[in-house]
Amino acid sequence: MRSPLLKRIFDIAVAALGLLLLSPVLLVVVALVRLFHGSPVLFGQTRPGFKGMPFRIYKFRTMTNARAADGSLLPDAERLTPLGRLLRATSLDELPELLNVLKGEMSLVGPRPLLVQYLERYSPEQMRRHDVLPGITGWAQINGRNALTWDEKFRLDVWYVDNWSFWLDIKIIFLTLWKVVKREGISQPGHATAEEFMGNQSDS
């Protein structure tokens, strides 16, 4: 069943219900982040969305703003706190993105929104990942997440663009919950999160 309207209705219903039911958890996370990371509690960043159009994504902060003597931010691995690692391992840092879903900037399921500077580095085939709304989770996330290479992620993203359906989204959501429990693919080996995408390795 491939219905954009049904997908949107499902997104709104689940996001609204999720924010309501998870409100006690959200309040606890807000308090912990404020205590250990300071203000602001949320991390906001411009990301490319549908057709590459920019929007502001929000997550709970998982890093401090610690800087080197020259004023530059320290590497991610040095700024990522134990609380931040826990939030990422449990995907609790992603919960504010439910607001992006309600606003229509994201879907529950779709290719993850990456950095704006990556847009000029994609091949035309890889750029097709922006032919649908970005998602909180996606086909790549349940098939390896950050343990995948960039080429593997993009192939999975484009496969989703060509094959998405309501029932595939349901499958991805349930498998995502299982992956969160197992805490698989949280980061790439040797990196705090994922290495930067520097350019196309292939056009596949």
Side-chain angles (χ1 to χ4, degrees), residues 48-52 119 122 126-132 161:
F50 180 64
K51 298 300 183 182
L119 287 173
Y122 294 140
Q126 292 166 346
M127 190 66 182
R128 291 179 57 224
R129 69 192 307 276
H130 294 289
D131 287 348
V132 296
V161 170

Side-chain angles (χ1 to χ4, degrees), residues 10-11 14 108-109 137-138 142 166-180:
F10 181 74
D11 281 346
V14 174
L108 294 172
V109 180
T137 187
I142 65 167
F166 177 74
W167 296 114
L168 179 61
D169 282 4
I170 297 295
K171 175 182 177 179
I172 290 172
I173 289 171
F174 277 104
L175 288 176
T176 296
L177 296 175
W178 175 243
K179 293 289 184 179
V180 168

Side-chain angles (χ1 to χ4, degrees), residues 57-79:
I57 192 174
Y58 291 100
K59 301 182 180 185
F60 284 120
R61 284 180 60 204
T62 57
M63 300 182 186
T64 67
N65 290 322
R67 297 179 180 270
D70 63 0
S72 62
L73 286 172
L74 292 175
D76 289 355
E78 297 182 40
R79 296 188 294 119

Side-chain angles (χ1 to χ4, degrees), residues 110-126:
R112 285 293 298 164
L114 302 176
L115 301 178
V116 172
Q117 59 263 36
Y118 291 0
L119 287 173
E120 62 184 18
R121 304 174 188 176
Y122 294 140
S123 70
E125 178 71 3
Q126 292 166 346

